[in-house]
Amino acid sequence: PPSVALQAALNTTIAARGPRFTIRQGTYRFGRADLIVNEARDLAIAGGGAVTLLFTCNFGVVLRSTVNVTLRNVTVDYDEPCFSQGPVTAVGESGGSFTYTVDDGFPLPDAALNPRFGAQITHIIIWHAANKSQACHPGFAGPSCQSNMHGAPKHLGGRSYSVVGASPQIGQIVTLGPRQGHTLVLSNASRCVIESVTIHGASDMAIGEYGGGGANVLRGNSVVRHPTRTPQGLLVSNGDIFMSSGASHGPLVEGNEWSYSGDDCVNIQNYVPVVLRVEGSRALLMDSLGNQELTGASSHKRQSLARQQPPVTRSATAT
């Protein structure tokens, strides 16, 4: 398949320390595989014309342990969206539940067929049918007007399912976006550039950077709805559009269009240890997020607790 040949050619260029790699115009279907840029340095990867990379949910583009690598002029999408979508046909008498019919071309939220809709956290977002904007209701948390699905959807026959976790109105549209997988990831990356990349769908986060030296650049990218899909997919990124965690230096973000996320737009989750005093091989640190960072609590819990208490100090021994 062209995608296999593309990965092999890219691997050869990286091994030879080539400075440039051009992806020929076309559509590349990866299925259940990533496009991996592994341990590359000083490499520019660019689409030579209209290039679309199509993935199966939970897979995407991974830049791993890369330094000064550029990716530009490609489109990332999924040959089946990573979320379910359809119109609401009935609502529960006491609220908190509804029935909807899954639109053609979108996955059925059936755990037996698709584990993504089983035990994984799934966000429900309600949309107005007329203008495709989000519909906020009392009791919904945050500006994204989202709620969490409770339990697995129940199959009612055909493409109809009942769901517990929200109270939409009949005729509105719901999207169910599971929080699992990745789309464009910079893992242990330093001084990399993502430029003029279009993303029409995401497994979870559309763009994420995790660890490494950081100082990465995101310039002129678009995370937007697919312009020709019918019916149009209303959700673009199931989770945050951009997540940053553990990078030593923050990113430069400019000239991007990021829209229709299932959670945050930009989420930077890092802690900053400030050295107060050095004594030989020991350093006294002030941890700006508190000791929850050290005990493995969830990131959202860490942020909440950090707002409720002053910074703590701790000592560390150099190794």
Side-chain angles (χ1 to χ4, degrees), residues 17-18 34 38 56 58 85 98-99 122 148 160 170 190 204 207 249 265 269 281 283 295 306:
R17 299 297 184 187
D34 294 312
N38 191 49
T56 296
N58 302 347
Q85 173 179 307
F98 61 92
T99 299
T122 298
N148 288 336
S160 181
I170 294 175
S190 303
D204 186 7
I207 305 171
H249 296 275
C265 179
Q269 296 186 359
S281 63
T295 59

Side-chain angles (χ1 to χ4, degrees), residues 57-58 81-86 98 100 106-109 114-127 145-149 153 163 173-181 201-205 234-240 260-263:
C57 295
N58 302 347
C82 294
F83 60 92
S84 185
Q85 173 179 307
F98 61 92
Y100 81 113
F106 291 85
L108 301 176
N114 192 339
R116 289 171 56 82
F117 292 93
Q120 300 297 327
I121 297 175
T122 298
H123 284 169
I124 303 168
I125 300 179
I126 303 172
W127 310 80
C145 307
Q146 69 183 31
S147 64
N148 288 336
M149 186 177 71
V163 180
I173 299 171
V174 293
T175 56
L176 277 63
R179 301 295 305 272
Q180 182 184 17
S203 281
D204 186 7
M205 315 290 184
L234 303 186
L235 186 61
V236 181
S237 179
N238 288 6
D240 307 339
Y260 302 110
S261 68
D263 203 346

Side-chain angles (χ1 to χ4, degrees), residues 51-67:
V51 171
T52 298
L53 310 176
L54 287 178
F55 296 95
T56 296
C57 295
N58 302 347
F59 297 90
V61 181
V62 179
L63 276 64
R64 180 188 299 147
S65 299
T66 53
V67 178

Side-chain angles (χ1 to χ4, degrees), residues 146-193:
Q146 69 183 31
S147 64
N148 288 336
M149 186 177 71
H150 301 306
K154 180 180 179 181
H155 188 205
L156 302 178
R159 298 181 68 83
S160 181
Y161 287 81
S162 65
V163 180
V164 177
S167 300
Q169 300 174 11
I170 294 175
Q172 291 181 324
I173 299 171
V174 293
T175 56
L176 277 63
R179 301 295 305 272
Q180 182 184 17
H182 57 268
T183 296
L184 199 165
V185 175
L186 292 83
S187 176
N188 190 34
S190 303
R191 295 184 288 109
C192 291
V193 178

Side-chain angles (χ1 to χ4, degrees), residues 42-289:
D42 305 321
L43 173 63
I45 303 170
V51 171
T52 298
L53 310 176
L54 287 178
F55 296 95
T56 296
C57 295
N58 302 347
F59 297 90
V61 181
V62 179
L63 276 64
R64 180 188 299 147
S65 299
T66 53
V67 178
N68 191 31
V69 170
T70 298
L71 175 67
R72 62 165 57 97
N73 296 336
V74 300
T75 295
V76 178
D77 202 358
Y78 292 82
D79 53 7
E80 181 182 60
C82 294
F83 60 92
S84 185
Q85 173 179 307
V88 176
T89 57
V91 296
E93 293 182 2
S94 58
S97 64
F98 61 92
T99 299
Y100 81 113
T101 301
V102 182
D103 283 331
D104 290 338
F106 291 85
L108 301 176
D110 196 322
L113 302 174
N114 192 339
R116 289 171 56 82
F117 292 93
Q120 300 297 327
I121 297 175
T122 298
H123 284 169
I124 303 168
I125 300 179
I126 303 172
W127 310 80
H128 291 300
N131 60 12
K132 308 300 188 294
S133 65
Q134 290 186 1
C136 299
H137 292 280
F140 274 67
S144 60
C145 307
Q146 69 183 31
S147 64
N148 288 336
M149 186 177 71
H150 301 306
K154 180 180 179 181
H155 188 205
L156 302 178
R159 298 181 68 83
S160 181
Y161 287 81
S162 65
V163 180
V164 177
S167 300
Q169 300 174 11
I170 294 175
Q172 291 181 324
I173 299 171
V174 293
T175 56
L176 277 63
R179 301 295 305 272
Q180 182 184 17
H182 57 268
T183 296
L184 199 165
V185 175
L186 292 83
S187 176
N188 190 34
S190 303
R191 295 184 288 109
C192 291
V193 178
I194 306 299
E195 186 175 43
S196 300
V197 171
T198 298
I199 298 175
H200 288 314
S203 281
D204 186 7
M205 315 290 184
I207 305 171
E209 62 170 10
Y210 304 97
N216 300 306
V217 177
L218 305 175
R219 179 184 295 118
N221 303 295
S222 299
V223 180
V224 295
R225 291 169 172 169
H226 196 292
T228 62
R229 185 184 296 277
T230 303
Q232 185 177 51
L234 303 186
L235 186 61
V236 181
S237 179
N238 288 6
D240 307 339
I241 290 180
F242 174 56
M243 160 68 82
S244 175
S245 180
S248 298
H249 296 275
L252 172 62
V253 179
E254 60 182 13
N256 301 280
E257 179 182 0
W258 292 346
S259 59
Y260 302 110
S261 68
D263 203 346
D264 302 326
C265 179
V266 174
N267 191 345
I268 297 180
Q269 296 186 359
N270 290 303
Y271 71 96
V272 182
V274 179
V275 178
L276 301 180
R277 185 172 67 250
V278 177
E279 298 176 348
S281 63
R282 295 178 63 83
L284 181 67
L285 308 181
M286 179 179 71
D287 186 342
S288 64
L289 280 188

